[in-house]
């Protein structure tokens, strides 16, 4: 009887781990999609930048250069954070896989 209870408990744990993995994989996919959308916006910004900014001069150009530098830093931080998040999700998925294997 106890082996049957243990078997049921293992199956419940396995299903819970698999459900958690599925949620994490979905979340990881959403992060990838968000970053693709973000990159599309960045590409649009750079295209507009290349087309318009060469003609700006004076204070407007100087002010824009400050904003542009800030945006570049923000872009780098967003990309680094997304990479870290995706890596952390991958590690957690791997940990859950190991836990399933140990069952």
């Amino acid at each position: 009887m106890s082996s049957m209870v243990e078997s049921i408990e293992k199956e419940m744990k396995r299903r819970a781990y698999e459900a958690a993995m599925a949620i994490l994989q979905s979340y990881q996919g959403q992060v990838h999609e968000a970053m693709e959308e973000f990159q599309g916006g960045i590409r649009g910004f750079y295209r507009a930048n290349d087309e318009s900014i060469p003609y700006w001069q004076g204070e407007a150009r100087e002010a824009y250069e400050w904003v542009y530098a800030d945006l570049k830093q923000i872009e780098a931080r967003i990309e680094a954070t997304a990479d870290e998040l995706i890596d952390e999700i991958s590690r957690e998925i791997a940990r859950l896989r190991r836990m399933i294997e140990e069952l």
Side-chain angles (χ1 to χ4, degrees):
M1 184 67 135
S2 69
S3 67
M4 187 165 97
V5 170
E6 286 177 18
S7 178
I8 291 171
E9 287 175 348
K10 283 182 181 181
E11 181 63 20
M12 289 175 57
K13 284 182 181 179
R14 185 185 63 76
R15 288 185 185 198
Y17 296 152
E18 287 175 346
M21 284 174 45
I23 290 168
L24 288 169
Q25 288 166 336
S26 174
Y27 182 45
Q28 195 172 43
Q30 291 170 0
V31 172
H32 279 293
E33 288 175 19
M35 287 308 298
E36 287 173 9
E37 189 174 325
F38 176 74
Q39 290 296 334
I42 292 295
R43 283 189 297 276
F45 170 76
Y46 289 135
R47 274 193 305 276
N49 180 67
D50 292 344
E51 292 172 5
S52 301
I53 301 312
Y55 306 107
W56 289 17
Q57 297 176 17
E59 286 183 31
R61 176 67 181 248
E62 188 176 316
Y64 177 77
E65 293 296 334
W66 284 99
V67 170
Y68 181 82
D70 286 345
L71 289 174
K72 291 289 286 177
Q73 289 178 352
I74 292 167
E75 174 190 0
R77 284 196 315 245
I78 288 171
E79 289 176 349
T81 300
D83 289 344
E84 289 172 15
L85 179 58
I86 289 168
D87 289 345
E88 186 62 33
I89 293 168
S90 294
R91 283 191 290 275
E92 183 62 16
I93 290 169
R95 185 184 72 80
L96 290 168
R97 279 194 181 111
R98 285 191 304 276
M99 291 174 77
I100 289 171
E101 291 170 4
E102 291 172 4
L103 292 175

